[in-house]
Amino acid sequence: MLKRVIKKVYSIIFIILHEKKYKRHKFLYKNSRKSNKLLIVFSAFPSHYCKGGYNYIWSLRKARENIIWLRDRFGAYDSGTYYLGTNYPEERTFIYEINEIINKYSLNRTTYYLGTSKGG
């Protein structure tokens, strides 16, 4: 129980400190001057009737690489989509902005992508 509370508090503080906004979408970015690697973390589908959030914040807390966490809050119940060309105009904008964000932060870096559920 205590570990769950610690993880939740850590995640909230981390989001407050690292959340950035690019045009219409928010993302988290953790910078590392010692690494030339960039991890892009896509969000999974949330529980029913819940908004999408960031995944692997706790799991990657000790990682020394540059990390971008992405989440999308559009689609049914703001839970996101599979990025496969649905009728949500926000999806096209989000895909375009993901590419811009990755290009901005991936200069001279090896890029890795990870995620589970729809993010995988």
Side-chain angles (χ1 to χ4, degrees), residues 19-28 54 68 70-71 93-105:
E19 192 165 55
K20 298 183 180 305
K21 185 169 183 169
Y22 183 81
K23 295 184 180 177
R24 294 175 45 196
H25 296 93
K26 293 181 181 178
F27 66 97
L28 298 179
Y54 300 107
I68 295 175
L70 300 169
R71 70 156 192 225
T93 305
F94 183 70
I95 292 169
Y96 179 75
E97 289 181 9
I98 285 173
N99 287 327
E100 288 181 349
I101 291 167
I102 291 170
N103 289 335
K104 178 179 178 181
Y105 289 102

CSV table of all heavy atoms in Angstrom, one decimal, residues 19-28 54 68 70-71 93-105:
chain,number,residue,atom,x,y,z
A,19,GLU,N,6.7,18.2,-17.4
A,19,GLU,CA,5.7,18.3,-18.5
A,19,GLU,C,5.9,19.5,-19.4
A,19,GLU,O,6.2,20.6,-18.9
A,19,GLU,CB,4.3,18.3,-18.0
A,19,GLU,CG,3.2,18.1,-19.1
A,19,GLU,CD,1.9,17.7,-18.5
A,19,GLU,OE1,1.4,18.5,-17.7
A,19,GLU,OE2,1.3,16.7,-18.9
A,20,LYS,N,5.9,19.3,-20.7
A,20,LYS,CA,6.1,20.4,-21.6
A,20,LYS,C,4.9,20.4,-22.6
A,20,LYS,O,4.2,19.4,-22.8
A,20,LYS,CB,7.4,20.2,-22.5
A,20,LYS,CG,8.6,20.2,-21.6
A,20,LYS,CD,9.9,20.1,-22.5
A,20,LYS,CE,11.1,20.1,-21.7
A,20,LYS,NZ,11.3,21.2,-20.8
A,21,LYS,N,4.7,21.5,-23.2
A,21,LYS,CA,3.6,21.6,-24.2
A,21,LYS,C,4.2,22.0,-25.5
A,21,LYS,O,5.0,22.9,-25.6
A,21,LYS,CB,2.6,22.7,-23.8
A,21,LYS,CG,1.4,22.7,-24.7
A,21,LYS,CD,0.3,23.6,-24.1
A,21,LYS,CE,-0.9,23.5,-25.1
A,21,LYS,NZ,-2.1,24.0,-24.5
A,22,TYR,N,3.8,21.3,-26.6
A,22,TYR,CA,4.2,21.6,-27.9
A,22,TYR,C,2.9,21.8,-28.7
A,22,TYR,O,2.1,20.8,-28.9
A,22,TYR,CB,5.0,20.4,-28.5
A,22,TYR,CG,5.5,20.7,-29.9
A,22,TYR,CD1,6.6,21.5,-30.1
A,22,TYR,CD2,4.9,20.3,-31.0
A,22,TYR,CE1,7.1,21.8,-31.4
A,22,TYR,CE2,5.3,20.5,-32.3
A,22,TYR,CZ,6.4,21.3,-32.5
A,22,TYR,OH,6.9,21.6,-33.7
A,23,LYS,N,2.7,23.0,-29.1
A,23,LYS,CA,1.5,23.3,-29.8
A,23,LYS,C,0.2,22.9,-29.0
A,23,LYS,O,0.0,23.5,-27.9
A,23,LYS,CB,1.4,22.8,-31.2
A,23,LYS,CG,2.6,23.4,-32.1
A,23,LYS,CD,2.5,22.9,-33.5
A,23,LYS,CE,3.6,23.5,-34.3
A,23,LYS,NZ,3.6,23.0,-35.7
A,24,ARG,N,-0.5,21.9,-29.4
A,24,ARG,CA,-1.7,21.5,-28.7
A,24,ARG,C,-1.6,20.3,-27.8
A,24,ARG,O,-2.5,20.0,-27.1
A,24,ARG,CB,-2.8,21.2,-29.7
A,24,ARG,CG,-3.2,22.4,-30.5
A,24,ARG,CD,-4.2,22.1,-31.6
A,24,ARG,NE,-5.3,21.2,-31.1
A,24,ARG,CZ,-6.1,20.6,-31.9
A,24,ARG,NH1,-5.9,20.6,-33.2
A,24,ARG,NH2,-7.0,19.8,-31.4
A,25,HIS,N,-0.4,19.7,-27.8
A,25,HIS,CA,-0.3,18.5,-27.0
A,25,HIS,C,0.8,18.6,-25.9
A,25,HIS,O,1.8,19.3,-26.1
A,25,HIS,CB,0.0,17.3,-28.0
A,25,HIS,CG,-1.1,17.1,-28.9
A,25,HIS,ND1,-1.1,17.6,-30.1
A,25,HIS,CD2,-2.2,16.3,-28.8
A,25,HIS,CE1,-2.3,17.3,-30.7
A,25,HIS,NE2,-2.9,16.5,-29.9
A,26,LYS,N,0.6,17.8,-24.9
A,26,LYS,CA,1.6,17.8,-23.8
A,26,LYS,C,2.4,16.5,-23.8
A,26,LYS,O,1.9,15.5,-24.3
A,26,LYS,CB,0.9,17.9,-22.4
A,26,LYS,CG,0.2,19.3,-22.2
A,26,LYS,CD,-0.4,19.3,-20.9
A,26,LYS,CE,-1.1,20.7,-20.7
A,26,LYS,NZ,-1.8,20.7,-19.4
A,27,PHE,N,3.6,16.6,-23.3
A,27,PHE,CA,4.5,15.4,-23.2
A,27,PHE,C,5.5,15.6,-22.1
A,27,PHE,O,5.6,16.8,-21.6
A,27,PHE,CB,5.2,15.2,-24.6
A,27,PHE,CG,6.2,16.2,-24.9
A,27,PHE,CD1,7.5,16.1,-24.7
A,27,PHE,CD2,5.8,17.4,-25.6
A,27,PHE,CE1,8.5,17.0,-25.0
A,27,PHE,CE2,6.7,18.4,-25.9
A,27,PHE,CZ,8.0,18.2,-25.6
A,28,LEU,N,6.1,14.6,-21.7
A,28,LEU,CA,7.2,14.7,-20.6
A,28,LEU,C,8.5,14.5,-21.3
A,28,LEU,O,8.7,13.7,-22.2
A,28,LEU,CB,7.0,13.6,-19.6
A,28,LEU,CG,5.7,13.5,-18.8
A,28,LEU,CD1,5.8,12.4,-17.8
A,28,LEU,CD2,5.6,14.8,-18.0
A,54,TYR,N,0.5,8.9,-18.7
A,54,TYR,CA,1.9,8.5,-19.1
A,54,TYR,C,2.2,7.1,-18.5
A,54,TYR,O,1.8,6.8,-17.3
A,54,TYR,CB,2.9,9.5,-18.6
A,54,TYR,CG,2.7,10.9,-19.1
A,54,TYR,CD1,2.1,11.9,-18.4
A,54,TYR,CD2,3.0,11.2,-20.5
A,54,TYR,CE1,2.0,13.2,-18.9
A,54,TYR,CE2,2.8,12.4,-21.0
A,54,TYR,CZ,2.3,13.4,-20.2
A,54,TYR,OH,2.1,14.7,-20.7
A,68,ILE,N,11.3,10.8,-23.8
A,68,ILE,CA,10.1,11.5,-24.1
A,68,ILE,C,8.9,10.6,-23.8
A,68,ILE,O,8.9,9.5,-24.4
A,68,ILE,CB,10.1,12.0,-25.5
A,68,ILE,CG1,11.2,13.0,-25.8
A,68,ILE,CG2,8.7,12.6,-25.9
A,68,ILE,CD1,11.3,13.4,-27.2
A,70,LEU,N,4.9,10.2,-24.3
A,70,LEU,CA,3.8,10.7,-25.1
A,70,LEU,C,2.5,10.1,-24.6
A,70,LEU,O,2.4,9.0,-24.2
A,70,LEU,CB,4.0,10.4,-26.6
A,70,LEU,CG,5.3,10.9,-27.3
A,70,LEU,CD1,5.4,10.2,-28.6
A,70,LEU,CD2,5.2,12.4,-27.4
A,71,ARG,N,1.5,10.9,-24.7
A,71,ARG,CA,0.1,10.5,-24.4
A,71,ARG,C,-0.8,11.2,-25.3
A,71,ARG,O,-0.6,12.3,-25.7
A,71,ARG,CB,-0.2,10.7,-22.9
A,71,ARG,CG,-0.4,12.1,-22.6
A,71,ARG,CD,-1.3,12.4,-21.4
A,71,ARG,NE,-1.7,13.8,-21.4
A,71,ARG,CZ,-1.6,14.5,-20.3
A,71,ARG,NH1,-1.3,14.0,-19.2
A,71,ARG,NH2,-1.9,15.8,-20.4
A,93,THR,N,-3.2,15.6,-36.3
A,93,THR,CA,-2.4,16.7,-35.7
A,93,THR,C,-1.4,16.1,-34.7
A,93,THR,O,-0.2,16.5,-34.7
A,93,THR,CB,-3.3,17.7,-34.9
A,93,THR,OG1,-4.3,18.2,-35.8
A,93,THR,CG2,-2.5,18.8,-34.4
A,94,PHE,N,-1.8,15.1,-33.9
A,94,PHE,CA,-1.0,14.5,-32.9
A,94,PHE,C,0.2,13.7,-33.6
A,94,PHE,O,1.4,13.9,-33.2
A,94,PHE,CB,-1.8,13.5,-32.0
A,94,PHE,CG,-1.0,12.9,-30.9
A,94,PHE,CD1,-0.6,13.6,-29.8
A,94,PHE,CD2,-0.7,11.5,-31.0
A,94,PHE,CE1,0.2,13.1,-28.8
A,94,PHE,CE2,0.0,11.0,-29.9
A,94,PHE,CZ,0.5,11.7,-28.9
A,95,ILE,N,-0.1,13.0,-34.6
A,95,ILE,CA,1.0,12.3,-35.3
A,95,ILE,C,2.0,13.2,-35.9
A,95,ILE,O,3.2,13.0,-35.9
A,95,ILE,CB,0.4,11.4,-36.4
A,95,ILE,CG1,-0.4,10.2,-35.8
A,95,ILE,CG2,1.4,10.8,-37.4
A,95,ILE,CD1,-1.3,9.4,-36.7
A,96,TYR,N,1.5,14.3,-36.5
A,96,TYR,CA,2.4,15.3,-37.1
A,96,TYR,C,3.3,16.0,-36.0
A,96,TYR,O,4.5,16.1,-36.1
A,96,TYR,CB,1.6,16.4,-37.8
A,96,TYR,CG,2.4,17.5,-38.4
A,96,TYR,CD1,3.1,17.3,-39.5
A,96,TYR,CD2,2.4,18.8,-37.8
A,96,TYR,CE1,3.8,18.4,-40.1
A,96,TYR,CE2,3.1,19.8,-38.3
A,96,TYR,CZ,3.9,19.6,-39.4
A,96,TYR,OH,4.6,20.6,-40.0
A,97,GLU,N,2.7,16.3,-34.8
A,97,GLU,CA,3.4,16.9,-33.8
A,97,GLU,C,4.4,15.9,-33.1
A,97,GLU,O,5.5,16.3,-32.7
A,97,GLU,CB,2.5,17.5,-32.7
A,97,GLU,CG,1.8,18.7,-33.3
A,97,GLU,CD,0.8,19.4,-32.3
A,97,GLU,OE1,0.8,19.0,-31.1
A,97,GLU,OE2,0.1,20.3,-32.7
A,98,ILE,N,4.0,14.6,-33.0
A,98,ILE,CA,5.0,13.6,-32.5
A,98,ILE,C,6.2,13.6,-33.4
A,98,ILE,O,7.4,13.6,-32.9
A,98,ILE,CB,4.4,12.2,-32.6
A,98,ILE,CG1,3.3,12.0,-31.4
A,98,ILE,CG2,5.4,11.1,-32.4
A,98,ILE,CD1,2.6,10.7,-31.5
A,99,ASN,N,6.1,13.6,-34.7
A,99,ASN,CA,7.2,13.7,-35.6
A,99,ASN,C,8.1,14.9,-35.4
A,99,ASN,O,9.3,14.8,-35.4
A,99,ASN,CB,6.8,13.6,-37.0
A,99,ASN,CG,6.3,12.2,-37.4
A,99,ASN,OD1,6.8,11.2,-36.9
A,99,ASN,ND2,5.3,12.2,-38.3
A,100,GLU,N,7.4,16.1,-35.2
A,100,GLU,CA,8.2,17.3,-34.9
A,100,GLU,C,9.0,17.2,-33.6
A,100,GLU,O,10.1,17.7,-33.5
A,100,GLU,CB,7.3,18.5,-34.9
A,100,GLU,CG,6.8,18.9,-36.3
A,100,GLU,CD,5.8,20.1,-36.3
A,100,GLU,OE1,5.4,20.5,-35.2
A,100,GLU,OE2,5.5,20.6,-37.4
A,101,ILE,N,8.3,16.7,-32.5
A,101,ILE,CA,8.9,16.6,-31.2
A,101,ILE,C,10.1,15.7,-31.3
A,101,ILE,O,11.2,16.0,-30.8
A,101,ILE,CB,7.9,16.1,-30.2
A,101,ILE,CG1,6.9,17.1,-29.9
A,101,ILE,CG2,8.6,15.7,-28.9
A,101,ILE,CD1,5.7,16.6,-29.1
A,102,ILE,N,10.0,14.5,-32.0
A,102,ILE,CA,11.1,13.5,-32.1
A,102,ILE,C,12.2,14.1,-32.9
A,102,ILE,O,13.4,14.0,-32.5
A,102,ILE,CB,10.6,12.2,-32.7
A,102,ILE,CG1,9.6,11.5,-31.8
A,102,ILE,CG2,11.7,11.3,-33.1
A,102,ILE,CD1,8.9,10.3,-32.4
A,103,ASN,N,11.9,14.8,-34.0
A,103,ASN,CA,13.0,15.5,-34.7
A,103,ASN,C,13.7,16.5,-33.9
A,103,ASN,O,14.9,16.7,-34.1
A,103,ASN,CB,12.4,16.1,-36.0
A,103,ASN,CG,12.0,15.0,-37.0
A,103,ASN,OD1,12.5,13.9,-37.0
A,103,ASN,ND2,11.0,15.3,-37.9
A,104,LYS,N,13.0,17.2,-33.1
A,104,LYS,CA,13.6,18.3,-32.3
A,104,LYS,C,14.6,17.7,-31.3
A,104,LYS,O,15.7,18.3,-31.0
A,104,LYS,CB,12.5,19.1,-31.6
A,104,LYS,CG,13.0,20.2,-30.7
A,104,LYS,CD,11.9,21.0,-30.0
A,104,LYS,CE,12.4,22.0,-29.1
A,104,LYS,NZ,11.4,22.8,-28.4
A,105,TYR,N,14.2,16.6,-30.6
A,105,TYR,CA,15.0,16.1,-29.5
A,105,TYR,C,16.0,14.9,-29.9
A,105,TYR,O,16.8,14.5,-29.1
A,105,TYR,CB,14.1,15.6,-28.4
A,105,TYR,CG,13.5,16.8,-27.7
A,105,TYR,CD1,12.1,17.1,-27.9
A,105,TYR,CD2,14.2,17.5,-26.7
A,105,TYR,CE1,11.5,18.2,-27.3
A,105,TYR,CE2,13.6,18.6,-26.1
A,105,TYR,CZ,12.3,18.9,-26.4
A,105,TYR,OH,11.7,19.9,-25.7
